[in-house]
Amino acid sequence: MLDSTPAELDTGAAPLLRTVGLTKRYGSFLANEAIDIDVWPMQIHALLGENGAGKSTLVKAIYGLIQPSEGEMRWQGEKMVLSGPSEARSRGIGMVFQHFSLFDNLTVAENVALGLDGKESFKDMSARLEQVSRVYGLPLDPKREVWQLSVGERQRIEIVRALMQNPKFLILDEPTAVLTPQEADQLFVVLNRLKAEGRAILYISHKLEEVKRLCDTATILRGGRKVSTCNPKAETAASLARMMVGGEIKEVRAPANRRTTIPRLVVNDLSLEPDDPHSVRLRNISFELKGGEILGIAGVAGNGQDELFAALSGERLAQDPSTIVIDGHAAGHLSITQRRKLGAAFVPEERLGHGTVPRMKLSENALLTGHAASGMVLHGFVNTAATLKTVDRATETFDVRKAKRDPEAASLSGGNLQKFIVGREILRNPMVLVVSQPTWGVDAGAAAVIRQALLDLAAAGAALLVTSQDLDELAEITDRIAVMFHGHLSEPLPTADASREKLGLLMGGSTLGQKEAAHAVGA
Amino acid sequence: MQLVLEKRAERSNTIALISPLIAIGLTLVTMSILFAILGKNPISALGVYFIDPLTDSYSLQEIAVKATPLVMIAIGLSLCYLANAWNIGAEGQFLVGAVAGSWLAVKTQGTDAGPWVLPAMMLLAAIGGALYALIPAICKVRFGASEILTSLMLVYVADLLLDYLVRGPWRDPKGFNFPTTAEFDPVAAVPVLIEGGRLHLGGVIALVVVAAVAVLLGKTIKGFEIRVVGAAPRAARFGGFNSNQLILLTFAISGALAGLAGIIEVAGPVGHLQPGISPGYGFTAIIVAFLGRLNPVGILIAGLFLALTFIGGEQAQIAMKIPLDVTKVFQGILLFYVLACDSLILYRFKLIFASPKVSSGAH
């Protein structure tokens, strides 16, 4: 250790990973500029920053997916040049991506096998997979095909796959985005155990409270540069957010004069058979949503939220028209276009491929949902000026940042694309808005813009149904929260009464009535 | 050192335009090697193929005549392909259109029926081609049958149907037992544009079709629906577009255009119905559609280029004794390169060096 610095001598060891002046250039654009970080064994190190701050670039370099343009990485004190991810894995660096790299038509076990470099037999590997997933409380059926799984379950595969490689250094990119609080807590137990076992964890997250709770050190990136390395436990969420954004974040505020009006969206005893054997049956779902009100739907991914979205939007039709009533009109039999004409709007969970056509321009994606109502189509011909106007208005109103006036949807960052999608729907002045995961994988700044927009829309008299895995988000913007479990929707609770504990129990399938009864017996 | 394909942030419009040119360039290089192996001088062989046909009026007209069915069929196919519906059976729809239109020509033979005959033949041909194309489309929508297989297999059914008709019921009684109908009456024939020339009204119809589909795709909501269904099926459903309906629609349009091309070929350059009216137009049109980037104007250019290879191939056979099959080899190689070069629209080549330059870590 000839080039040890005094800091290393003090602790008597080198950091597990050190980057020195790490720089990554794409053409003239600096994605990372001279970044120095040290990650030590037995440390959970948070990497914070807005979308585009350079977090992904940095971890891609550490995982060997890209080569740094300048600077170097040192692994246990020695210079490391990675030829690719398999070399990174063989050195003990594992990674769980935010965007899953799974093959839909293969089973869980086959996907895991593809990601491992070892020579063990498929049977042994499957057994080990079941064991690892059981030990860490991340249940998975190795024989299920991935296309049948929810987002949350898919992420479990990624986490288990990384854990199976027994990494010394584990990179996690927003792992809790789709987990219940209990699942997140379980994951934290796993992470703390991994840390106690002497491993290092690099943890990317937007949830600042979570970072404060879990992480020992935080490195904050902004605009490709390191802003600071600090102890998150000594900071407040607000001070961390300030460092990330480089200024104050607008606080989301519910307008004071919000009043509920007439019922805008009523669902009466909606049941729907699954359209393939692995999706969830909707069971007797009923709720009433008034204008000016925001109803949140919590629940573990894969409990029927996708099916409910499809039924409400009209992507799947209900047998009985009266099961779904939009603004007083029986709509269960109406197509999504007809429902839009009744004043409903929808924002699905997947931004690319569902909410937008990735390789089409924003103006064309404005037409995708706007063709029904807003003067974009005249006698079958598209009014390009009107579609561009929607893009400009969404850009202006919701601060959509993009390289040119009308780029392809896929070229926008997640947060900016989501602002565009939400904006596109809000600009149509809907009376009913059904939103799934409004801020999934979106940076703090964009999430605040979107939540504020939802609150403002409710204040203007619209009824909002917001499905989210993020309980903090639901607590922040909703009036009532219901929980989905196995295709059944619980009775909504007033948000003020909906403690994390209560919601967590409902998400796990117990009913509050039973629990209270149990308490009564116990007393 | 390692050569990798790296995904571009946004599709490259420049490459989208020049990719067919790169493909043509690579095809010419490959063909030169092939000519050299055949013992021919590559330069003069390519000259006969691609330059000579452009130097006299007869060949130029002949190129336009050959391009007419190619362009019309390929325009229809491009709609199917944009909607992710794989109609491989345009050859069959072309033949059925020819048969459906010829029916009227045969029935009105010698009756001095009037100028309504040709338009009626074209209408019948379009309807026949559309109905024939709807068979695989309905099988796909209703039963989930692969339209690739069913549409392809129906080509052979159409081929045999035509064969049966010209050898049986529709055979020209004065035709010395040749399998052909009688020469169509003048009212049932596609008029030529210039007296004594080869160029006929079909060329004008093809241009109208190009313009109409360009407007359909670029300016109308229906064209948008077709493009969305192909590009992102889930987003299409979210947009409220019915993919089954669009599959039926694009197959019907595609079949109608192929059928129309069929009757124009029969009632135009050929003059009567007989086996072998198509040197594989329906299949070559697949290459035209992709070479033209599934874009109407691109298809017009690509159709003229492929027509050139047909004419050049004939001349090369006469002048240099190069087998006519070389033309098919040429077209196959071209399709291969076109599809390969298309990766460059979304990806770029990148050289990765095993040991990148790193700055010194010592402070």
Side-chain angles (χ1 to χ4, degrees), chain A residues 245-416:
Chain A
V245 182
E248 293 292 335
I249 289 199
K250 260 201 312 194
E251 219 168 291
V252 177
R253 291 178 49 179
N257 55 350
R258 191 136 62 96
R259 283 209 320 266
T260 56
T261 57
I262 51 164
R264 296 265 186 215
L265 176 64
V266 181
V267 174
N268 299 311
D269 201 24
L270 171 71
S271 294
L272 205 55
E273 291 297 312
D275 55 357
D276 79 77
H278 303 285
S279 67
V280 177
R281 179 198 311 267
L282 296 179
R283 297 163 198 269
N284 312 96
I285 290 177
S286 297
F287 62 84
E288 188 181 279
L289 186 51
K290 293 193 172 78
E293 193 183 20
I294 303 182
L295 173 63
I297 293 187
V300 180
N303 269 291
Q305 295 95 324
D306 296 350
E307 289 80 359
L308 180 61
F309 181 87
L312 293 177
S313 66
E315 290 178 308
R316 280 198 69 202
L317 300 183
Q319 297 294 327
D320 179 355
S322 66
T323 49
I324 297 169
V325 181
I326 296 173
D327 233 0
H329 300 85
H333 60 304
L334 297 182
S335 71
I336 187 166
T337 302
Q338 289 166 311
R339 292 181 201 200
R340 287 193 178 115
K341 284 183 177 157
L342 287 178
F346 311 95
V347 176
E349 174 178 340
E350 291 278 340
R351 286 187 279 277
L352 291 171
H354 193 178
T356 63
V357 184
R359 293 285 170 194
M360 283 193 179
K361 292 173 182 165
L362 290 187
S363 59
E364 294 174 296
N365 278 302
L367 181 63
L368 182 70
T369 62
H371 63 86
S374 43
M376 290 183 185
V377 181
L378 200 65
H379 306 304
F381 283 84
V382 176
N383 180 350
T384 317
T387 60
L388 271 171
K389 202 174 143 211
T390 299
V391 175
D392 291 343
R393 283 178 63 205
T395 305
E396 202 175 309
T397 317
F398 298 98
D399 184 30
V400 179
R401 293 178 203 171
K402 49 195 169 57
K404 54 184 181 190
R405 186 180 179 197
D406 195 16
E408 282 179 4
S411 70
L412 265 64
S413 74
N416 283 308

Side-chain angles (χ1 to χ4, degrees), chain A residues 71-252:
Chain A
E72 66 176 45
M73 296 183 282
R74 290 183 209 159
W75 180 249
Q76 294 174 317
E78 282 169 30
K79 183 176 156 181
M80 167 173 80
V81 176
L82 295 172
S83 60
S86 67
E87 190 183 342
R89 283 194 295 268
S90 70
R91 284 176 185 257
I93 302 174
M95 174 145 185
V96 176
F97 290 92
Q98 183 189 358
H99 298 288
F100 316 134
S101 41
L102 298 170
F103 293 93
D104 282 355
N105 289 327
L106 299 183
T107 65
V108 171
E110 285 164 345
N111 266 291
V112 171
L114 280 171
L116 296 177
D117 306 316
K119 298 204 166 39
E120 68 184 323
S121 77
F122 187 73
K123 202 175 141 211
D124 293 350
M125 195 279 311
S126 294
R128 202 158 64 85
L129 163 67
E130 270 195 285
Q131 189 213 337
V132 170
S133 72
R134 201 175 51 245
V135 166
Y136 288 119
L138 299 160
L140 279 175
D141 176 356
K143 294 190 186 67
R144 290 281 296 274
E145 289 184 1
V146 166
W147 62 268
Q148 303 163 352
L149 303 180
S150 66
V151 177
E153 289 168 309
R154 289 177 199 207
Q155 183 161 49
R156 268 180 233 159
I157 306 175
E158 295 273 3
I159 293 174
V160 169
R161 174 156 77 182
L163 291 180
M164 283 180 68
Q165 296 162 17
N166 194 21
K168 289 194 189 84
F169 183 103
L170 185 60
I171 305 164
L172 294 147
D173 192 354
E174 297 213 44
T176 59
V178 292
L179 304 180
T180 66
Q182 280 84 352
E183 282 177 313
D185 286 345
Q186 256 174 343
L187 178 68
F188 297 160
V189 172
V190 174
L191 298 183
N192 278 315
R193 178 150 92 204
L194 293 172
K195 169 182 153 186
E197 286 167 5
R199 302 172 216 262
I201 292 163
L202 191 60
Y203 189 88
I204 301 177
S205 180
H206 287 303
K207 298 185 185 174
L208 301 175
E209 291 295 344
E210 187 178 286
V211 166
K212 274 170 62 61
R213 208 172 115 210
L214 180 72
C215 301
D216 312 296
T217 308
T219 292
I220 294 141
L221 301 184
R222 188 169 74 227
R225 287 192 210 136
K226 185 168 103 169
V227 179
S228 148
T229 293
C230 61
N231 175 0
K233 293 187 166 68
E235 299 286 334
T236 64
S239 66
L240 289 171
R242 263 200 302 280
M243 284 190 269
M244 274 167 61
V245 182
E248 293 292 335
I249 289 199
K250 260 201 312 194
E251 219 168 291
V252 177

Side-chain angles (χ1 to χ4, degrees), chain B residues 89-104:
Chain B
E91 180 81 359
Q93 294 140 25
F94 177 91
L95 296 177
V96 167
V99 164
S102 298
W103 172 78
L104 188 63

